[in-house]
Amino acid sequence: MTAYQICVRCESRWPVSYQARQWCPSCRGLLLSPVDSHVAVPPNRRNFRWVVRSPQRDPENGPAPRAPQSTATPEYAEMPRWGLLDRPRSHDEEPTRAETLAGLAPTLLAGTAAVFGLAAVAELVRYVVLLVNRTRLIEPIVLALSDSAVWATQIVGPLVALAAAVASGLRLIEVRRHVFAERGTSDPRSPGSVLFGAVVPGVNLALPGVFLTEIADDNPRILRAVRIWWLLIVSNAVLFVFVLFWRQRDALQAKADAVLLTAAVAALAAVVAVATLHILRLFDGTDLWGRPLEHPRYTTATGPAYAPIAEIVPVPKAEPVQEERETDAERTPAVTS
C-alpha cells in the first residue's frame, strides 16, 4: 500500500483506497491524515505541531504565570522536553508486497466488475449481430469489432479476476488478523490456507464463506451480505459449468442460445465482484463507495409520551336556545259542557 492512515488509539495502519476515513474500523479511534510511505511529509502537512514544555511548569496546576521579559540567556534546571519526537521509520514498518497487493483489492475488484460488465455487453451485441444476420449481411468491420470485443474481454477478464482473487485473499488475511487481535487471540488458520481457499477454483466456492462467517461476530448486516455473496458465487459457478456443456451442442439455435448464456455468466460474475467489494467495505466500516457507515441506535422509552405544548382542540359551537312556543291549541282554554 502506498498511502495509509494510522490510528491514534491502537496504532493500526489502514490502507487508503478511494478516500480517507475518519474513524478506525477496529477501535473507533481517530485516524490521522493519509501518509505516503514513499514521500516525505512536509511539516505543514503533518498531523501534529511542535510544543515545547518548560520543566518549571506543573501540568496539574495549569499554565505557569507569564514571567517578565528578560534579556538574559534562559536556563533550566533540567533538559527541556519536546511534545513529540519525530522518530525515523524503521525498516520493519515498511509495507510488504503482500500489504501493497492487499491494498489494491478494492481497485482490482472494481476493475473486474467493469471488465465482466463489458464482456456481457459484448456478448449481447454479438447476439444482436446474429439476429440481424438472419435477414441481411453484416458489414465486415462490424463483425470484426464484435469479435475483437468478445475476445478481448474473454482474455482480460480471467486475468483481472485472478489478480483480484489473490488481492482479496491477502486482504482477508489482514482482516482476520485484526479481528482475532481484538478478541485477544490469534488466527487459528494459517495465511497459506486462507489464501489457498480464496484462490483455488472449486475450493473458493466453500472455504471463503466459512472464513468470512468466522469473523462476522454475529453482525446481521455482514452475515446477510456473506450469505448473499455465497449464493451468488455458487450460482455463477453452476451457470458456468452449464454453459460449457451447452456449447457442446452442434445445433445453430443452441449456439445462439450459448451467446445469451455467456452474457448471463459475465453479468453474474460482475455482480459477484461488486458483492465481494461490498463485504470488504463492511469490514472496514464503510459502504460500497468508501463512505463511513451510519449505525442507527434505538432506545426504549421508559415513560409516557410527554407533549410540552398542548394540542389545539377546536371549541364546538354553542347551539342556539330554542324558545318554547305555545300553539294556538294550547292557548285556547278547554270548553267543558
Side-chain angles (χ1 to χ4, degrees):
M1 55 184 176
T2 57
Y4 59 91
Q5 293 178 266
I6 302 177
C7 177
V8 298
R9 180 181 297 176
C10 64
E11 299 182 359
S12 300
R13 293 183 300 170
W14 296 95
V16 179
S17 54
Y18 291 103
Q19 64 180 5
R21 294 189 291 263
Q22 184 178 3
W23 306 107
C24 177
S26 298
C27 65
R28 306 302 298 172
L30 181 64
L31 291 178
L32 301 179
S33 60
V35 177
D36 194 343
S37 59
H38 300 290
V39 180
V41 181
N44 58 350
R45 293 180 55 192
R46 293 176 180 172
N47 299 282
F48 53 85
R49 60 188 179 92
W50 294 105
V51 178
V52 63
R53 299 174 182 173
S54 176
Q56 283 85 6
R57 183 174 62 88
D58 188 0
E60 297 181 357
N61 298 330
R66 183 181 297 274
Q69 296 293 335
S70 176
T71 57
T73 303
E75 65 177 272
Y76 302 99
E78 61 183 29
M79 183 67 67
R81 295 171 299 165
W82 294 94
L84 183 63
L85 296 179
D86 194 2
R87 299 175 180 175
R89 290 177 54 87
S90 62
H91 181 70
D92 296 336
E93 295 180 356
E94 293 293 336
T96 61
R97 292 183 179 179
E99 293 176 346
T100 304
L101 185 56
L104 294 177
T107 304
L108 291 175
L109 287 172
T112 302
V115 171
F116 278 111
L118 293 176
V121 174
E123 294 291 344
L124 290 177
V125 171
R126 168 175 279 191
Y127 187 78
V128 172
V129 170
L130 292 177
L131 291 179
V132 175
N133 193 32
R134 297 174 58 185
T135 57
R136 67 177 67 177
L137 294 178
I138 304 298
E139 295 293 334
I141 184 65
V142 176
L143 186 60
L145 290 176
S146 177
D147 292 340
S148 301
V150 171
W151 281 103
T153 53
Q154 288 182 353
I155 294 175
V156 177
L159 297 178
V160 179
L162 179 60
V166 175
S168 300
L170 295 174
R171 186 68 176 272
L172 179 59
I173 294 173
E174 291 186 356
V175 172
R176 288 178 60 89
R177 185 184 299 114
H178 286 292
V179 170
F180 282 102
E182 292 179 356
R183 298 177 183 177
T185 59
S186 59
D187 191 353
R189 302 184 184 274
S190 63
S193 63
V194 176
L195 187 61
F196 176 82
V199 175
V200 177
V203 182
N204 58 4
L205 300 179
L207 290 185
V210 177
F211 297 155
L212 293 171
T213 306
E214 291 176 348
I215 58 177
D217 288 335
D218 297 332
N219 189 326
R221 177 179 293 181
I222 297 180
L223 286 176
R224 181 171 59 252
V226 170
R227 290 167 183 169
I228 294 176
W229 172 85
W230 211 340
L231 178 63
L232 288 176
I233 192 172
V234 172
S235 302
N236 188 24
V238 173
L239 184 59
F240 177 76
V241 174
F242 177 76
V243 172
L244 290 181
F245 284 101
W246 187 270
R247 285 183 174 275
Q248 304 302 323
R249 305 177 64 178
D250 296 331
L252 185 61
Q253 183 62 40
K255 293 182 178 180
D257 294 339
V259 175
L260 282 181
L261 292 176
T262 305
V265 171
L268 190 55
V271 174
V272 171
V274 174
T276 306
L277 177 59
H278 178 57
I279 292 177
L280 294 181
R281 294 294 193 191
L282 287 179
F283 280 107
D284 291 341
T286 58
D287 60 1
L288 186 61
W289 307 105
R291 298 170 297 189
L293 288 176
E294 296 181 359
H295 301 279
R297 297 182 179 180
Y298 300 94
T299 58
T300 305
T302 57
Y306 170 70
I309 301 177
E311 298 181 359
I312 300 177
V313 180
V315 180
K317 296 181 180 180
E319 298 180 358
V321 180
Q322 297 180 357
E323 297 179 355
E324 297 181 358
R325 298 180 179 179
E326 296 179 356
T327 60
D328 295 341
E330 294 176 348
R331 294 179 180 178
T332 304
V335 179
T336 58
S337 55

